[in-house]
Amino acid sequence: MSTPYPFTALVGQDDLRLGLLLNAVSPAVGGVLVRGEKGTAKSTAVRALAALMPEVAVVAGCRFSCDPGAPDPACPDGPHEAGTGVSRAARTVELPVGASEDRLVGALDIERALSEGVKAFEPGLLADAHRGILYVDEVNLLHDHLVDLLLDAAAMGASYVEREGVSVRHAARFLLVGTMNPEEGELRPQLLDRFGLTVEVAASRETDLRVEVVRRRLAYDDDPAGFAARWADEEAALRERIVSARALLPRVVLGDGVLRQIAATCAAFEVDGMRADIVMARTATALAAWAGREEVVSDDVRQAALLALPHRRRRNPFDAPGLDEDKLDEALQDAADEQGDDDPDPDGPGGGVPPQGGGPESDGGGSDAGGSDDGGTDDGGADAPGREDTGSGGAPAPGGGGEQQPVRAGEPFRTKVLSVPGLGEGAAGRRSRARTEHGRTTGSRRPEGALTKLHLAATVQAAAPHQRARGRSGRGLVVRRDDLRQATREGREGNLVLFVVDASGSMAARQRMSAVKGAVMSLLLDAYQRRDKVGLVTFRGKDAEVALPPTSSVDAAAARLESLPTGGRTPLAAGLLKAHDVLRVERLRDPSRRPLLVVVTDGRATGGVDPVALAGRAGRLHASEGTASVVVDCESGFVRLGLAAQLARDLGGSAVTLDELRADSIAGLVKDITAAGRAA
């Protein structure tokens, strides 16, 4: 077993260390989600925490780590008699992103359950993590149904495995830690809310701190055991402090004054539900115990708010998480003024951050702020096919090509469902029909590998003709493995939604481009909710470019869209061919994820010889490969050329206007696109 990096040797990342330690003191806080860029010691910190956790006493031979002082009466390995057990280190169990449901919750032997009435259960990772740490790296990439199971178990303290009326329950109480890189996509808001705390981590920009990080890491890599030995005293002291804080925790008093501050703060930030209030109360209590105090004070409430509220106040998937500290201080002061008395200053061994025992010390962190400038001039002019775009009037921006400053997106709206026709087998999501492990049962088949979802009626039907030959004498059905049938289910999958956006001069009228960006932003929001991957190709001037390669980060696509400039010619064919290249690579990389091509244009094409015909040939190339597509027709004005509708026919898809894209518009039906899909 390799020697873990010492927790006390971590440099900076104060919030990360504090969030982990508070959960070690009080697992009731509800776990911690660590968000940050790659290479910021997220995984290192979580794995290092395991060495600080106190040992646990378990019933000898119990696969579910029952406490010998209070064994679980429903333990599948029970019943156990209360008594002495054996001590072992608390486990850190890692859940791989590609894990199956059975690997997470455990597997039940359906054949023995039906034929012998025996609950033969193979424990999963939730059982292994009981009374320890369950660590999920890249939790935002975990399938939603696994995240739901994981968080339900964390909330209830138990795991339930149900298979056709046969159920097994076992205790599953653990410290849940998830890490994620927001660039790879966000968690749904309701899943974010289930994590007790969240911390943001970023690499320090201070030279001295970065030097110290490198120095310590190189020393550890050269001699892990020797490096750990040099930090043994600090590790032991921190371990003792955790034990002391746990012992003090039941005696900590949460007074009415600070409780009103907690409630007032949650109300001021308009968080949904009551979970935030409860988590803040538990976190503030843990902070007091960590500081060696028996009373919660205002500073504890403030620190608890900074850890428990940022991820709960997001109102839009494209809003960055965070908390306005001035508003927080104002809410705390208002609540204190209502009480008419002041909280005492914190005393005792203050500070929530563990000692580092030498080496530079500094708060690290960072924040990103962004926006888009509003600029450009109004111009409703548009070019006819074959004519050169000259932009929309006004002086061209530096760089030539009639480029204008980015225009802000219009107000997003709820869109109609655009889906890929046919039946796929891609990653779980919410867009198109697919064969999935979850959903409504549509039939049965012989299992390939382990049986996961039993089709009971089909199994009985397969076994029934053989009962006499098998010598059945009692009431029970004689079932063999060959009789078992796997249920086939139909649910929804996520797709790759590739946006091809016309940013040329023919689209550059200020009001029109704002509406176009608002429509694409609405489609991005829809893609976020349906768990799609997204990509963005733009075309203008002389060529097209991949503004954003396919990614799960819809936030990144929204940011690129906001900063998209307009102006110049309309190389429509180049945009479609660039999209073809992107889809070709993605089919090799992820063949089970079906693409949906969304072309946002007025259909005009300029530049070169017969650009409209060239765009048509590029469209037919997509159609020949069966790519599902839809054209969002942005043409406006009294004179309409119908070029977007012609492009849709070349693509084998359909066209929808900006007005028809709205879910509440009169025109409409859900659109399944591509001629090939309609034929299927």
Side-chain angles (χ1 to χ4, degrees):
M1 181 177 178
S2 61
T3 303
Y5 192 91
F7 191 88
T8 49
L10 294 170
V11 179
Q13 308 297 15
D14 295 346
D15 287 345
L16 169 59
R17 292 183 293 134
L18 179 59
L20 292 172
L21 289 169
L22 291 178
N23 274 274
V25 170
S26 176
V29 166
V32 58
L33 176 66
V34 185
R35 298 164 43 92
E37 59 197 30
K38 51 188 175 292
T40 48
K42 300 188 297 293
S43 300
T44 300
V46 176
R47 296 185 178 110
L49 179 67
L52 301 176
M53 299 290 284
E55 289 191 341
V56 293
V58 299
V59 174
C62 177
R63 297 175 297 167
F64 301 87
S65 302
C66 278
D67 184 351
D72 181 5
C75 176
D77 283 355
H80 305 299
E81 293 185 4
T84 58
V86 296
S87 294
R88 62 161 175 78
R91 293 173 179 158
T92 296
V93 177
E94 295 194 29
L95 174 62
V97 169
S100 65
E101 181 179 337
D102 284 347
R103 184 72 186 99
L104 176 62
V105 300
L108 194 63
D109 192 330
I110 298 297
E111 182 182 4
R112 292 188 64 190
L114 289 177
S115 59
E116 303 175 27
V118 175
K119 293 183 180 179
F121 181 66
E122 184 65 29
L125 295 176
L126 291 180
D128 293 341
H130 180 45
R131 304 175 68 199
I133 301 172
L134 183 61
Y135 171 45
V136 189
D137 193 14
E138 307 295 354
V139 65
N140 51 324
L141 303 183
L142 199 64
H143 285 175
D144 284 352
H145 73 280
L146 293 183
V147 178
D148 289 333
L149 290 170
L150 183 65
L151 295 176
D152 284 343
M156 296 186 297
S159 174
Y160 294 85
V161 183
E162 301 280 349
R163 293 290 187 274
E164 299 295 338
V166 181
S167 64
V168 171
R169 173 211 167 274
H170 65 83
R173 292 184 296 276
F174 46 81
L175 166 54
L176 176 62
V177 182
T179 57
M180 59 174 282
N181 183 350
E183 294 177 356
E184 297 171 338
E186 289 283 359
L187 276 173
R188 300 200 316 266
Q190 58 267 45
L191 299 182
L192 274 173
D193 183 58
R194 299 294 292 274
F195 280 94
L197 310 179
T198 185
V199 295
E200 297 280 339
V201 296
S204 173
R205 301 297 182 253
E206 295 185 18
T207 302
D208 289 342
L209 275 178
R210 297 176 74 95
V211 167
E212 186 64 19
V213 169
V214 174
R215 182 183 291 122
R216 294 187 188 185
R217 186 69 210 191
L218 292 177
Y220 170 77
D221 291 341
D222 289 341
D223 183 10
F227 183 82
R230 292 197 292 274
W231 292 89
D233 291 343
E234 287 82 356
E235 292 282 288
L238 190 56
R239 191 179 300 109
E240 286 300 318
R241 187 173 176 186
I242 292 173
V243 172
S244 299
R246 281 190 172 189
L248 179 61
L249 188 66
R251 304 198 301 272
V252 174
V253 176
L254 185 69
D256 287 344
V258 292
L259 195 55
R260 290 187 67 85
Q261 283 186 316
I262 290 171
T265 301
C266 292
F269 284 101
E270 299 180 350
V271 297
D272 296 328
M274 296 298 298
R275 184 176 283 118
D277 303 64
I278 296 170
V279 171
M280 272 190 64
R282 289 172 174 166
T283 304
T285 303
L287 280 162
W290 180 246
R293 286 182 274 100
E294 295 188 4
E295 183 179 6
V296 177
V297 297
S298 293
D299 281 356
D300 297 327
V301 176
R302 188 182 192 279
Q303 183 66 60
L306 292 173
L307 293 171
L309 295 187
H311 60 302
R312 290 188 164 88
R313 65 176 303 272
R314 294 186 65 190
R315 316 313 297 176
N316 185 299
F318 306 139
D319 291 340
L323 210 64
D324 184 338
E325 295 194 32
D326 291 336
K327 183 177 179 180
L328 172 61
D329 291 334
E330 182 180 343
L332 291 172
Q333 187 60 50
D334 289 346
D337 291 343
E338 289 180 6
Q339 290 298 305
D341 59 2
D342 296 324
D343 289 319
D345 292 329
D347 52 17
V353 182
Q356 292 193 21
E361 190 58 76
S362 173
D363 290 336
S367 62
D368 296 322
S372 59
D373 295 329
D374 209 355
T377 57
D378 292 342
D379 184 10
D383 295 310
R387 289 179 54 194
E388 180 177 320
D389 286 326
T390 58
S392 59
E403 179 177 312
Q404 299 181 57
Q405 292 296 321
V407 176
R408 290 186 182 276
E411 191 69 24
F413 51 84
R414 189 166 63 90
T415 67
K416 283 187 169 65
V417 180
L418 304 175
S419 61
V420 179
L423 198 61
E425 295 181 345
R430 296 184 174 185
R431 183 171 296 280
S432 305
R433 294 173 54 214
R435 298 183 186 91
T436 62
E437 287 295 315
H438 298 270
R440 62 186 181 89
T441 300
T442 58
S444 65
R445 59 175 173 82
R446 290 182 180 273
E448 299 172 1
L451 179 73
T452 55
K453 300 290 183 181
L454 177 74
H455 195 296
L456 185 58
T459 298
V460 172
Q461 187 176 8
H466 307 290
Q467 296 305 295
R468 182 175 296 178
R470 293 174 182 174
R472 174 185 172 186
S473 58
R475 298 177 59 186
L477 192 67
V478 181
V479 179
R480 303 280 170 81
R481 181 162 294 277
D482 289 344
D483 302 326
L484 299 179
R485 295 293 182 270
Q486 175 85 21
T488 57
R489 302 189 178 215
E490 182 179 310
R492 293 279 168 177
E493 67 177 359
N495 298 111
L496 166 59
V497 182
L498 181 62
F499 294 94
V500 181
V501 179
D502 185 347
S504 66
S506 69
M507 300 281 289
R510 181 183 181 82
Q511 187 173 3
R512 184 208 274 182
M513 197 60 200
S514 177
V516 168
K517 282 189 175 183
V520 179
M521 197 72 79
S522 302
L523 289 167
L524 283 171
L525 180 58
D526 182 66
Y528 170 86
Q529 294 167 338
R530 298 185 187 280
R531 311 303 291 168
D532 296 316
K533 288 180 69 174
V534 297
L536 179 62
V537 172
T538 63
F539 58 93
R540 56 182 292 275
K542 297 181 179 180
D543 205 356
E545 66 171 346
V546 181
L548 183 71
T551 175
S552 296
S553 178
V554 177
D555 290 16
R560 300 291 172 86
L561 181 69
E562 281 282 9
S563 61
L564 179 66
T566 57
R569 295 174 178 171
T570 313
L572 177 56
L576 295 173
L577 292 175
K578 182 69 72 174
H580 181 267
D581 290 342
V582 171
L583 294 180
R584 177 178 54 81
V585 173
E586 285 302 308
R587 285 191 180 98
L588 296 174
R589 182 178 296 163
D590 190 359
S592 64
R593 188 180 288 269
R594 298 187 295 162
L596 173 62
L597 184 67
V598 179
V599 185
V600 184
T601 182
D602 56 9
R604 290 175 171 81
T606 60
V609 179
D610 203 353
V612 175
L614 187 60
R617 288 199 295 273
R620 289 190 290 274
L621 178 61
H622 284 281
S624 68
E625 297 182 353
T627 302
S629 59
V630 61
V631 177
V632 179
D633 184 357
C634 303
E635 191 173 31
S636 61
F638 294 107
V639 179
R640 294 177 178 267
L641 302 176
L643 295 173
Q646 178 58 50
L647 176 62
R649 289 192 290 271
D650 290 330
L651 286 164
S654 60
V656 56
T657 67
L658 289 175
D659 288 337
E660 292 170 342
L661 191 61
R662 294 178 178 270
D664 55 357
S665 68
I666 298 175
L669 303 173
V670 170
K671 298 196 177 287
D672 282 345
I673 338 140
T674 78
R678 287 194 296 270

